[in-house]
């Protein structure tokens, strides 16, 4: 058996240090290598390969989030104004500040555990985490996406003392499915292959785990040709007492679940680097959901019997990261030869940093180990006691009788001196041109079959969204189950009507115009989706997931900074706290000619709301002819970044800007209106604007609608804007005639207008004053919307 | 591999004739999306390479009791060094060494559960049999890399050309 190698660094020159980092795929900078050199100089010895690996992994962008923790010198030039300079303590602190300022007492654990935790009721808490698995999914889409969902499920299993996963969410970004094969660089998969394999990966993992996958989005843009985005989220429920964990010195280090192999070695450091052409096989991870399902079942029993005092998952960085984090404030001794292996020829450092899937690490009081063993054996889960926590402040790693690593934990996790980063943002002035002589009907149908708007039913139906039996508002509803819901509503406890609403907001096209507004618009959209189904805006928490391009480019960092500033400002104005988040940076590709292609900076906002009574929640399809149709919120000429502009290949334009104050007032009233049964159906206006929102409400209902555009509260009278502008904060609402008085009274003083009626004919008729602008058969609408994306 | 080739067996499991092969159809569809027409149909088989402490009758038993769904599937067991006669072009796709193979791991566990104590190893793969009159190795190679295998983690073997 190979022992640890000693790496000569004490006398290494700067150039040699860089070479060591590069050769070992450590992704450590010269400053970091020097810090390591200093540490080992005072220790009077050279490090082992395992020690270097552990340090590299702990300090990697993926685990340490250097960019989000660094000070930033931010220069902003808006239009032709003089530059404004600002120093930002760190991006992470901005997000955290927002949550502190919003201050909601139902936020139980934010930004410290594996997932954000909020209160559900007196007895239970809900936790939510969203992760990305972009690099692995680009290389091996099926395995990468599967292990993406598998990993985030383990995050929830490792939050507090463990939550039971009750919902998975997924959001994917691909290049258009009709991309020509000739456009692809060597080594890049066709978007259609990625699309199918990613969906299959999430499907097979989620379904086999018995967790419903019931919310998400799929986006298509050429900007994702070289780097796809795969966001996976999991919601879990846990008893209130299980929220806190604390490792006790003397506890055993117990690893359970999958065996350790060479899988995913260097995943953490690799994910901090860009995609290159030559990738080692070992970075690929393959999932085994059956193993994770058994781990889940065993853990839930063990948790309820209080058999362990802390738990965390083995994610990026493997055992090194998991044991390191748990031991951070105490210390531990680990025996690597005790770790169950897939094959025997692993080197100690490989065992330590391997990212083999389906493993969890527990801190188990010795007297409880026997009972834990019984449970694990009864569920057929492999386990091993690999060491002991102590109070030495050090981690000491053995392989058989040899010490293969010993590091001071305080030094390892100490906030290092991070360099000050420079960020630059420049906003271009753009003109808002509206094309003339447009065939409205053709445009509407074209938009309905735009892959970003069209029905994703073909994907959603592959997911089990019913398993566990809690799903109240499902991803699709309406008379023939083809009407898309704005959010999913779950009642996670049998016999209890209390529930949760989960939704998301994402729109990279706004970000191309202004990342600051994108942040606001994504928050607005996520909240709108929540409220449209009956969620409470004042009981909603959000999560941020930033996927960005080449981050050492000051302009990319500038866009990211501006986006984070938007998150901060708008979260405060909408009074929603961030409870968890994650960043995935350096999503770029270096072409053969050396040019760099970054993805469009993409922010995903996921939202979760707790509601008192799921029976009050509503869907978006029209319910009855002759009911009145209202619009809430004002429409402006904001076509920049819209799907309409995309159809006409127009760039620039005015990006929609959120109006948090009015939006929040509307959402609060709408929440009350839905709770008081005043609303029959509700749909938010997002991509494609009012025309698409109403068309979607028709498609799933069998009824039609007649709309009068001149009634819309608006700052423009231009029909194209009224129909397709994507102004924020708007809802289409169906109200029964008997409730009109109460409804209108509730919204007095706010932009709320009746714009038409539900009609018995299955068609969409739009009038502007005396002119009929659109009169389209419902079947045609349905055919375009439902049939656009094929498998 | 140090094992003698006469001790390596292949188990091939496919759908019974007449049943709708959803996976095969999907593969055909994906090939057509590449712009390659002329494949009439694709039959997909799960293939298992069973080796180690085994003989023919034991492999047959494992195949029959563990790997086969007798209602919908048929099976074929043969020694790896015995060439199978087939007039069709086929492609086998196997995981590269060192890549985690969850199905194989589960199969080995299943063998233990059958009460078989022998030291048996399994690799899992897929076999695609093409019904076509098109015999063009470059096109088949293209199908392999674009549809059937991810060469980062899998190897493919083309047979019948």
């Amino acid at each position: 058996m190979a022992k640890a190698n000693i790496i000569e660094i004490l006398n290494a020159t700067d150039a040699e240090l860089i070479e060591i980092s590069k050769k070992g795929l450590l992704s450590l900078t010269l400053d970091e290598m020097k810090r390591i050199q200093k540490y080992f100089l005072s220790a009077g010895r050279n490090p082992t390969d395992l020690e270097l690996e552990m340090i590299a992994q702990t300090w990697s962008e993926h685990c340490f989030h250097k960019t989000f923790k660094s000070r930033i010198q931010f220069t902003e030039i808006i239009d032709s104004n003089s530059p404004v300079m600002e120093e930002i303590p760190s991006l992470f602190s901005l997000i955290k500040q927002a949550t502190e300022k919003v201050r909601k007492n139902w936020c139980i654990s934010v930004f410290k555990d594996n997932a954000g935790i909020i209160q559900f009721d007196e007895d239970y808490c809900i936790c939510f985490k969203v992760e990305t698995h972009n690099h692995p999914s680009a290389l091996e889409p099926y395995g990468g996406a599967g292990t993406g969902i598998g990993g985030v499920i383990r995050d929830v299993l490792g939050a507090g003392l463990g939550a039971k996963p009750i919902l998975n969410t997924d959001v994917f970004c691909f290049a258009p499915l009709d991309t020509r094969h000739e456009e692809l660089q060597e080594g890049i998969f066709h978007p259609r292959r990625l699309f199918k394999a990613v969906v299959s990966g999430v499907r097979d993992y989620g379904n086999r785990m018995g967790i419903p996958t019931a919310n998400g989005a799929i986006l298509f843009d050429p900007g994702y040709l070289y780097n796809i985005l795969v966001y996976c989220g999991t919601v879990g429920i846990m008893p209130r007492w299980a929220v806190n964990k604390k490792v006790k010195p003397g506890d055993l280090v117990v690893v359970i679940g999958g065996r350790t192999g060479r899988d995913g070695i260097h995943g953490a450091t690799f994910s901090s680097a860009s995609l290159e052409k030559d990738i080692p096989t070992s970075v690929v991870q393959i999932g085994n959901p059956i193993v994770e399902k058994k781990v889940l079942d065993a853990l839930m029993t063990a948790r309820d019997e209080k058999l362990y005092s802390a738990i965390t998952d083995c994610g990026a960085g493997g055992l090194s990261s998991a044991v390191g984090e748990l031991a951070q404030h105490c210390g531990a001794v680990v025996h690597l030869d005790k770790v169950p292996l897939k094959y025997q020829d692993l080197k100690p450092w490989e065992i330590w940093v391997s990212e083999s899937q389906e493993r969890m690490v527990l801190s188990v009081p010795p007297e409880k180990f026997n009972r834990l063993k019984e449970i694990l054996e009864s569920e057929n889960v492999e386990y091993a006691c690999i060491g002991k926590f102590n109070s030495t402040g050090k981690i000491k790693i053995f392989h058989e009788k040899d010490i293969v690593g010993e590091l001071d934990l305080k030094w390892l996790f100490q906030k290092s001196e991070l360099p000050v980063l420079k960020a630059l943002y420049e906003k271009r002035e753009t003109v808002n041109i509206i094309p003339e002589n447009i065939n409205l009907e053709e445009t509407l149908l074209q938009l309905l079959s735009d892959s970003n708007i069209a029905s994703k039913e073909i994907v959603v139906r592959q997911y089990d969204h019913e398993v566990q039996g809690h799903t109240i508002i499902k991803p699709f509803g309406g008379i023939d189950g083809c009407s898309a819901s704005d959010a999913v509503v779950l009642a996670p406890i049998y016999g209890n009507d209390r529930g949760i609403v989960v939704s998301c907001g994402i729109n990279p096209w706004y970000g191309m115009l202004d990342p600051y507004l994108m942040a606001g618009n994504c928050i607005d959209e996520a909240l709108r989706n929540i409220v449209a189904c009956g969620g409470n805006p004042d009981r909603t928490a959000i999560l941020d997931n930033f996927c960005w391009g080449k981050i050492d480019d000051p302009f990319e960092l500038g866009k990211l900074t501006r986006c984070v500033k938007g998150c901060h400002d708008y979260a405060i104005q909408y009074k929603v706290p961030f409870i968890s988040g994650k960043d995935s940076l350096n999503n770029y590709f270096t072409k053969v000619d050396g040019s760099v292609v970054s993805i469009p900076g993409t922010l995903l906002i996921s939202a979760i709301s707790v509601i008192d009574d799921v029976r009050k929640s509503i869907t978006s399809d029209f319910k009855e002819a002759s009911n009145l149709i209202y619009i809430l919120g004002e429409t402006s000429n904001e076509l920049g970044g819209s799907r309409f502009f995309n159809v006409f290949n127009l760039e620039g334009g005015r990006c929609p800007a959120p109006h948090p104050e009015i939006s929040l007032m509307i959402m609060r009233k709408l929440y009350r209106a839905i709770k008081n049964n005043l609303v029959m159906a509700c749909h938010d206006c997002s991509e494609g604007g009012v025309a698409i929102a109403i068309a979607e409400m028709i498609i799933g209902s069998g009824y039609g609608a007649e709309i009068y555009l001149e009634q819309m509260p608006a700052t423009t009278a231009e029909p194209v804007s009224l129909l397709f502008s994507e102004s924020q904060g708007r809802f289409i609402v169906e109200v029964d005639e008997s409730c009109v008085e109460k409804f209108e009274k509730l919204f007095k003083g706010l932009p709320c207008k009746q714009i038409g009626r539900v009609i018995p004919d299955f068609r969409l008729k739009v009038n502007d004053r005396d002119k009929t602008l659109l009169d389209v058969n419902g079947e045609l609408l349905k055919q375009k919307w439902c049939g656009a994306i094929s498998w | 591999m140090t094992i003698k080739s006469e001790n390596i067996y292949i188990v091939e499991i496919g759908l019974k004739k007449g049943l709708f092969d959803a996976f095969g159809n999907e593969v055909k569809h994906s090939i057509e999306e590449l712009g390659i027409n002329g494949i009439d149909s694709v039959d997909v088989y799960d293939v298992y390479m069973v080796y180690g402490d085994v003989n023919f009758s034991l492999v047959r038993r494992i195949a029959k009791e563990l790997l086969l769904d007798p209602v919908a599937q048929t099976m074929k067991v043969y020694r790896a060094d015995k060439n199978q006669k087939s007039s069709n072009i086929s492609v086998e796709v196997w995981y590269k060494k060192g890549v985690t193979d969850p199905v194989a791991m589960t199969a080995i566990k299943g063998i233990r559960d059958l009460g078989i104590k022998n030291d048996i190893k399994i690799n899992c793969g897929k076999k695609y049999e093409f019904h076509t009159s098109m015999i063009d190795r470059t096109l088949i190679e293209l199908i392999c890399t674009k549809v059937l295998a991810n060469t980062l983690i899998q190897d493919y073997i083309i047979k019948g050309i």
Side-chain angles (χ1 to χ4, degrees):
Chain A
M1 168 55 67
K3 291 181 192 170
N5 289 322
I6 305 292
I7 312 286
E8 168 62 49
I9 70 162
L10 293 189
N11 303 313
T13 62
D14 287 3
E16 283 164 347
L17 287 176
I18 293 173
E19 187 55 29
I20 291 167
S21 166
K22 219 172 156 184
K23 229 173 123 189
L25 293 172
L26 300 174
S27 294
L28 287 163
T29 63
L30 178 61
D31 280 349
E32 288 164 338
M33 285 303 289
K34 279 181 151 169
R35 227 177 116 207
I36 297 168
Q37 194 179 35
K38 207 174 131 198
Y39 174 85
F40 283 98
L41 273 172
S42 63
R45 66 179 175 91
N46 273 306
T48 63
D49 48 4
L50 180 139
E51 285 167 331
L52 273 187
E53 289 284 347
M54 183 176 189
I55 296 165
Q57 169 281 120
T58 311
W59 294 356
S60 69
E61 178 66 56
H62 190 96
C63 296
F64 203 71
H65 305 282
K66 290 182 241 187
T67 306
F68 264 69
K69 285 180 179 163
S70 295
R71 287 184 88 75
I72 290 182
Q73 246 169 31
F74 184 46
T75 311
E76 196 173 61
I77 308 167
I78 304 288
D79 298 337
S80 47
N81 299 334
S82 50
V84 181
M85 300 249 275
E86 188 185 357
E87 183 144 317
I88 293 166
S90 78
L91 296 177
F92 182 60
S93 69
L94 271 185
I95 300 274
K96 233 172 123 179
Q97 261 173 35
T99 300
E100 280 158 14
K101 284 181 193 157
V102 170
R103 211 189 287 169
K104 300 278 188 184
N105 57 6
W106 41 262
C107 287
I108 305 290
S109 167
V110 291
F111 295 116
K112 48 181 190 207
D113 209 332
N114 287 341
I117 306 177
I118 60 170
Q119 194 179 335
F120 179 66
D121 62 9
E122 283 178 2
D123 302 322
Y124 289 95
C125 285
I126 293 283
C127 64
F128 194 4
K129 173 68 176 268
V130 179
E131 274 276 10
T132 46
H133 223 213
N134 306 332
H135 286 56
S137 303
L139 300 172
E140 208 317 89
Y142 180 81
T147 51
I149 195 77
V152 76
I153 292 169
R154 286 198 305 283
D155 270 326
V156 161
L157 281 177
L161 289 174
K164 182 188 171 211
I166 53 172
L167 173 74
N168 289 337
T169 67
D170 58 54
V171 174
F172 312 135
C173 303
F174 303 109
L177 296 178
D178 55 5
T179 303
R180 285 152 44 97
H181 280 276
E182 300 79 61
E183 286 173 40
L184 298 175
Q185 292 256 333
E186 202 201 318
I188 297 287
F189 289 130
H190 190 269
R192 183 163 273 282
R193 180 170 182 186
L194 290 165
F195 165 71
K196 282 188 183 181
V198 164
V199 168
S200 306
V202 167
R203 172 195 69 202
D204 288 354
Y205 210 105
N207 291 359
R208 283 169 193 166
M209 284 289 292
I211 302 166
T213 303
N215 186 259
I218 304 178
L219 282 75
F220 299 95
D221 187 89
Y224 302 111
L225 184 60
Y226 300 106
N227 293 77
I228 60 168
L229 300 185
V230 174
Y231 297 91
C232 298
T234 298
V235 178
I237 188 163
M238 70 211 305
R240 282 210 65 163
W241 59 261
V243 165
N244 294 315
K245 58 180 154 204
K246 194 165 194 301
V247 175
K248 279 183 266 163
D251 279 2
L252 307 174
V253 183
V254 178
V255 53
I256 69 167
R259 288 181 166 224
T260 300
R262 215 164 262 125
D263 326 56
I265 283 188
H266 284 142
T269 46
F270 162 70
S271 87
S272 311
S274 75
L275 281 185
E276 306 282 346
K277 253 192 67 200
D278 300 315
I279 308 287
T281 307
S282 65
V283 299
V284 178
Q285 303 144 6
I286 308 277
N288 191 344
I290 306 301
V291 171
E292 190 151 304
K293 171 69 175 151
K294 292 190 290 188
V295 168
L296 158 67
D297 291 344
L299 273 182
M300 290 298 104
T301 316
R303 180 198 69 191
D304 290 344
E305 291 191 26
K306 304 187 179 170
L307 298 181
Y308 52 89
S309 38
I311 181 170
T312 198
D313 68 306
C314 272
L319 287 171
S320 162
S321 168
V323 180
E325 264 171 45
L326 285 176
Q328 192 178 346
H329 302 293
C330 49
V333 172
V334 176
H335 296 271
L336 290 180
D337 46 294
K338 302 265 174 67
V339 177
L341 303 180
K342 290 181 183 169
Y343 26 80
Q344 290 307 317
D345 59 342
L346 287 177
K347 297 188 188 92
W349 73 266
E350 291 179 311
I351 303 175
W352 192 230
V353 301
S354 153
E355 294 182 9
S356 287
Q357 298 291 302
E358 290 92 23
R359 299 175 303 162
M360 304 286 294
V361 178
L362 278 61
S363 162
V364 183
E367 70 276 13
K368 307 223 164 136
F369 187 50
N370 277 338
R371 174 63 190 139
L372 180 70
K373 275 194 328 200
E374 274 174 31
I375 294 171
L376 293 169
E377 278 162 18
S378 76
E379 293 288 352
N380 238 323
V381 176
E382 283 198 80
Y383 61 88
C385 172
I386 62 164
K388 211 172 198 173
F389 292 103
N390 55 32
S391 41
T392 57
K394 284 188 173 160
I395 187 147
K396 205 166 176 177
I397 304 146
F398 288 87
H399 190 273
E400 283 158 3
K401 284 190 180 120
D402 303 318
I403 298 182
V404 288
E406 183 173 6
L407 288 170
D408 186 275
L409 285 159
K410 212 170 140 198
W411 173 80
L412 184 64
F413 285 100
Q414 200 174 47
K415 205 179 160 195
S416 60
E417 280 291 310
L418 291 167
V420 179
L421 305 176
K422 281 202 166 41
L424 235 117
Y425 181 75
E426 212 171 335
K427 190 176 173 176
R428 302 158 286 166
E429 247 172 302
T430 48
V431 234
N432 212 30
I433 325 151
I434 298 176
E436 281 168 24
N437 302 325
I438 284 169
N439 181 330
L440 290 176
E441 181 175 326
E442 232 171 65
T443 308
L444 174 71
L445 297 176
Q446 224 176 323
L447 278 169
L448 276 172
S449 55
D450 177 283
S451 56
N452 283 294
I453 289 176
S455 174
K456 314 291 185 298
E457 193 178 346
I458 194 116
V459 171
V460 176
R461 292 292 180 207
Q462 298 185 40
Y463 303 144
D464 190 338
H465 43 77
E466 296 293 328
V467 64
Q468 296 189 10
H470 301 303
T471 323
I472 304 297
I473 302 260
K474 302 149 201 296
F476 280 87
I479 47 165
D480 46 8
C482 72
S483 149
S485 304
D486 289 311
V488 60
V489 179
L490 293 186
I493 299 166
Y494 290 111
N496 188 339
D497 291 324
R498 206 172 169 76
I500 55 166
V501 189
V502 177
S503 75
C504 63
I506 181 169
N507 192 314
W509 304 288
Y510 300 153
M512 294 174 193
L513 296 172
D514 187 343
Y516 183 83
L517 293 179
M518 167 170 77
N521 294 347
C522 287
I523 294 175
D524 196 276
E525 187 191 0
L527 280 175
R528 284 200 313 271
N529 283 328
I530 289 276
V531 176
C533 286
N536 180 355
D538 288 308
R539 192 62 166 82
T540 301
I542 52 176
L543 285 74
D544 61 73
N545 282 83
F546 300 90
C547 286
W548 232 261
K550 194 173 187 329
I551 214 63
D552 53 12
D553 173 352
F555 285 97
E556 282 296 321
L557 185 62
K559 287 187 224 165
L560 176 64
T561 308
R562 191 160 157 88
C563 182
V564 173
K565 282 181 67 162
C567 284
H568 168 268
D569 295 358
Y570 285 111
I572 292 170
Q573 293 176 62
Y574 282 96
K575 300 185 169 56
V576 283
F578 284 104
I579 56 166
S580 169
K582 204 68 190 273
D583 55 282
S584 161
L585 308 176
N586 292 322
N587 292 285
Y588 70 91
F589 183 82
T590 312
K591 287 197 194 172
V592 192
D593 62 9
S595 61
V596 164
V597 191
S598 279
I599 57 154
T602 309
L603 167 69
L604 169 69
I605 296 286
S606 308
I608 184 162
S609 175
V610 175
I611 52 172
D612 299 330
D613 191 348
V614 293
R615 291 171 303 175
K616 303 279 187 189
S617 57
I618 55 167
T619 57
S620 65
D621 48 310
F622 287 127
K623 302 299 185 306
E624 207 167 342
S626 87
N627 279 345
L628 308 179
I629 298 172
Y630 281 81
I631 185 167
L632 305 176
E634 197 174 56
T635 304
S636 298
N637 184 353
E638 294 174 313
L639 285 161
S642 69
R643 297 320 298 158
F644 173 84
F645 261 32
N646 184 271
V647 161
F648 286 94
N649 281 322
L650 292 168
E651 283 184 9
R654 209 165 106 208
C655 177
H659 304 280
E661 210 175 308
I662 297 173
S663 269
L664 190 56
M665 269 198 279
I666 290 176
M667 288 182 199
R668 283 174 169 161
K669 301 257 167 164
L670 182 56
Y671 166 64
R672 271 172 61 192
I674 293 174
K675 207 174 162 186
N676 293 325
N677 303 322
L678 300 179
V679 174
M680 303 293 287
C682 181
H683 194 22
D684 92 302
C685 294
S686 53
E687 282 95 347
V690 168
I692 295 299
I694 296 176
E696 286 175 352
M697 294 174 88
I698 290 174
I699 287 166
S701 73
Y703 294 111
E706 180 155 18
I707 304 296
Y708 299 89
L709 286 186
E710 72 271 18
Q711 302 288 342
M712 277 171 64
T715 59
T716 169
E718 182 64 49
V720 167
S721 286
L722 292 173
L723 285 168
F724 304 118
S725 167
E726 297 180 8
S727 295
Q728 298 295 301
R730 299 176 304 159
F731 296 89
I732 306 292
V733 180
E734 178 192 4
V735 181
D736 185 290
E737 206 139 6
S738 65
C739 302
V740 161
E741 208 178 312
K742 280 188 191 161
F743 183 82
E744 288 196 348
K745 204 174 144 198
L746 190 61
F747 285 94
K748 211 175 155 194
L750 288 168
C752 163
K753 271 286 186 58
Q754 191 210 325
I755 54 165
R757 268 183 194 274
V758 180
I759 54 173
D761 283 357
F762 190 36
R763 63 192 316 109
L764 171 62
K765 201 170 167 193
V766 179
N767 309 301
D768 189 21
R769 293 175 194 95
D770 305 328
K771 230 171 94 190
T772 298
L773 298 180
L774 274 172
D775 190 356
V776 194
N777 185 300
E779 285 301 339
L780 188 56
L781 297 174
K782 192 170 164 179
Q783 194 196 326
K784 289 287 174 189
W785 189 70
C786 293
I789 297 180
S790 68
W791 184 247
Chain B
M1 233 173 277
T2 50
I3 294 136
K4 280 190 212 147
S5 61
E6 60 258 37
N7 247 356
I8 305 175
Y9 295 88
I10 303 288
V11 178
E12 239 179 66
I13 305 231
L15 272 183
K16 279 187 180 163
K17 287 247 168 331
L19 291 179
F20 177 71
D21 184 353
F23 193 30
N25 269 285
E26 198 194 312
V27 171
K28 180 174 175 258
H29 185 61
S30 295
I31 294 170
E32 284 163 1
E33 279 171 356
L34 265 183
I36 300 174
N37 294 305
I39 305 272
D40 299 330
S41 67
V42 184
D43 293 336
V44 184
Y45 300 88
D46 289 323
V47 282
Y48 303 85
M49 186 188 289
V50 187
Y51 55 100
D53 183 13
V54 284
N55 56 39
F56 185 78
S57 67
L58 184 59
V59 175
R60 248 193 89 79
R61 190 186 145 206
I62 291 168
K64 216 171 144 188
E65 292 183 25
L66 185 71
L67 306 173
L68 176 79
D69 167 9
V71 178
Q73 295 173 318
T74 56
M75 64 174 216
K76 204 155 91 180
V77 180
Y78 54 88
R79 251 169 59 179
D81 58 346
K82 297 264 158 102
N83 266 341
Q84 292 300 297
K85 276 182 215 135
S86 172
S87 53
N88 294 321
I89 299 171
S90 68
V91 172
E92 283 175 18
V93 178
W94 300 94
Y95 280 127
K96 285 190 170 157
K97 197 172 172 255
V99 176
T100 298
D101 185 346
V103 179
M105 279 156 59
T106 311
I108 288 167
K109 214 165 172 338
I111 291 170
R112 300 267 169 284
D113 291 344
L114 286 176
I116 299 166
K117 302 256 179 339
N118 304 29
D119 185 16
I120 298 172
K121 300 213 163 35
I122 291 192
N123 296 350
C124 294
K126 285 257 186 243
K127 180 178 157 182
Y128 304 87
E129 202 172 280
F130 299 106
H131 298 276
T132 177
S133 50
M134 174 190 80
I135 303 172
D136 180 341
R137 201 177 165 97
T138 21
L139 279 185
I140 299 290
E141 290 264 2
L142 192 68
I143 292 171
C144 288
T145 52
K146 296 284 181 194
V147 179
L148 304 179
N150 179 358
T151 49
L152 182 62
I153 55 163
Q154 290 161 324
D155 292 320
Y156 59 85
I157 306 159
I158 300 173
K159 290 180 175 170
I161 299 189

